[in-house]
């Protein structure tokens, strides 16, 4: 029997390289998956590669849309056993030049929406006395990065939030963990020029960028029963770029 047979999962940011890989891996392990994102056509493409899945487009900057996403997923899949908060945005700028709206938009999507999604699934998980919440953060949430004060703050905030929630619900069979990817081969990193890629790679002991599947395998483990005694942790998947 597949490790996640009979389980249901909601994956946000499912149109990105990491989100799609996570959704694909959870489905391969037997879970029914709800795919969420803002690009409906791309969601349909992803769904075409995942047999047991539904698509639920949502703008996570809208609180009502978040509530509707949780409600619709619960109704269509019969509940949410696994939540993967993967959606995120960047609005990079040096702190001296960063506009209020650049700060606010990144915190709204990356952190505030993450909180509302985490909060929204807890009641159903507590009734079942089983649940897995996986919040996708970033290596820069721990190490910082110039020009990304907003993004780094949002990802560090997710890690602190996850620890607090993990403490609150551990006795109910619910785990709350983070995965902090390093540099992963996605359309975002493919935009780097050759010199930038070489400079970054030279600082990675593994000598390469990671693959979306590297994050997906970590997510599948955290979603499984084998990870039932692991909670409040941030799993760094970065090829040794940052060892903490």
């Amino acid at each position: 029997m597949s490790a996640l047979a009979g389980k249901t999962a909601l994956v946000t940011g499912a149109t990105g390289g990491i989100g799609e890989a996570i959704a694909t891996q959870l489905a391969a392990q037997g879970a029914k998956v709800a795919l969420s994102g803002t690009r409906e056509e791309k969601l349909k493409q992803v769904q075409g590669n995942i047999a047991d899945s539904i698509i639920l487009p949502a703008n996570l900057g809208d609180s009502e849309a978040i509530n509707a996403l949780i409600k619709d997923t619960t109704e269509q899949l019969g509940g949410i056993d696994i939540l993967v908060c993967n959606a995120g945005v960047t609005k990079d700028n040096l702190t001296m030049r960063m506009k209020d709206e650049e700060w606010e938009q990144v915190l709204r999507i990356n952190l505030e929406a993450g909180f509302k999604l985490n909060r929204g699934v807890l009641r159903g998980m507590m009734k079942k006395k089983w649940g897995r919440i996986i919040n996708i953060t970033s290596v820069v949430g721990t190490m910082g990065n110039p020009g990304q004060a907003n993004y780094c703050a949002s990802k560090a905030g997710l890690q602190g939030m996850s620890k607090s929630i993990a403490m609150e619900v551990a006795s109910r069979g619910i785990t709350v963990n983070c995965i902090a990817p390093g540099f992963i081969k996605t359309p975002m990193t493919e935009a780097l020029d050759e010199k930038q890629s070489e400079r970054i790679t030279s600082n990675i002991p593994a000598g390469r960028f990671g693959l979306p599947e590297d994050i997906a395998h970590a997510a599948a483990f955290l979603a499984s029963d084998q990870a039932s005694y692991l909670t409040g942790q941030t799993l760094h998947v970065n090829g040794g770029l940052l060892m903490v």
Side-chain angles (χ1 to χ4, degrees):
M1 181 180 291
S2 299
L4 299 177
K7 302 298 184 185
T8 61
L10 169 60
V11 179
T12 67
T15 56
I18 290 175
E20 180 177 355
I22 290 174
T24 300
Q25 183 61 29
L26 295 180
Q29 296 294 322
K32 294 181 179 179
V33 183
L35 308 166
S36 187
T38 56
R39 295 179 290 161
E40 189 168 356
E41 286 305 312
K42 177 61 177 176
L43 282 174
K44 290 177 180 177
Q45 291 177 21
V46 175
Q47 183 187 31
N49 298 320
I50 302 176
D52 206 351
S53 64
I54 61 172
I55 61 170
L56 293 169
N59 172 16
L60 299 185
D62 181 344
S63 293
E64 291 186 5
I66 293 173
N67 294 335
L69 176 60
I70 294 168
K71 180 176 180 289
D72 292 344
T73 304
T74 300
E75 289 178 351
Q76 293 191 45
L77 296 186
I80 302 172
D81 299 308
I82 303 160
L83 170 66
V84 181
C85 284
N86 172 66
V89 298
T90 58
K91 292 290 180 181
D92 297 350
N93 212 338
L94 293 175
T95 300
M96 287 180 61
R97 299 173 183 169
M98 187 172 289
K99 299 178 177 65
D100 286 349
E101 54 265 31
E102 291 173 331
W103 171 270
E104 291 163 1
Q105 183 178 358
V106 170
L107 270 290
R108 185 183 308 117
I109 300 297
N110 296 5
L111 180 57
E112 185 178 326
F115 167 74
K116 291 175 180 177
L117 285 162
N118 277 232
R119 181 181 63 185
V121 301
L122 285 178
R123 190 175 302 277
M125 290 180 175
M126 291 178 77
K127 286 181 179 179
K128 292 184 178 182
K129 296 186 178 180
W130 197 98
R132 298 287 185 267
I133 296 176
I134 303 166
N135 295 313
I136 306 300
T137 63
S138 170
V139 64
V140 300
T142 300
M143 65 186 287
N145 203 33
Q148 289 194 311
N150 49 3
Y151 185 76
C152 294
S154 70
K155 295 302 187 178
L158 276 177
Q159 292 177 193
M161 180 196 80
S162 298
K163 292 177 182 180
S164 295
I165 299 174
M167 290 180 178
E168 295 173 4
V169 300
S171 65
R172 302 302 294 267
I174 304 167
T175 67
V176 186
N177 292 291
C178 295
I179 299 174
F183 287 91
I184 307 298
K185 283 189 176 181
T186 64
M188 185 182 297
T189 56
E190 286 171 2
L192 297 170
D193 62 36
E194 186 175 349
K195 281 189 176 181
Q196 289 173 317
S197 295
E198 288 177 355
R199 178 178 56 81
I200 293 168
T201 302
S202 70
N203 291 319
I204 302 173
R208 66 173 178 87
F209 279 36
L211 299 175
E213 289 75 17
D214 293 321
I215 309 304
H217 289 303
F221 168 68
L222 290 177
S224 72
D225 283 329
Q226 284 69 38
S228 63
Y229 200 56
L230 200 163
T231 195
Q233 305 301 313
T234 296
L235 181 58
H236 288 270
V237 185
N238 60 41
L241 174 64
L242 179 69
M243 300 184 185
V244 290

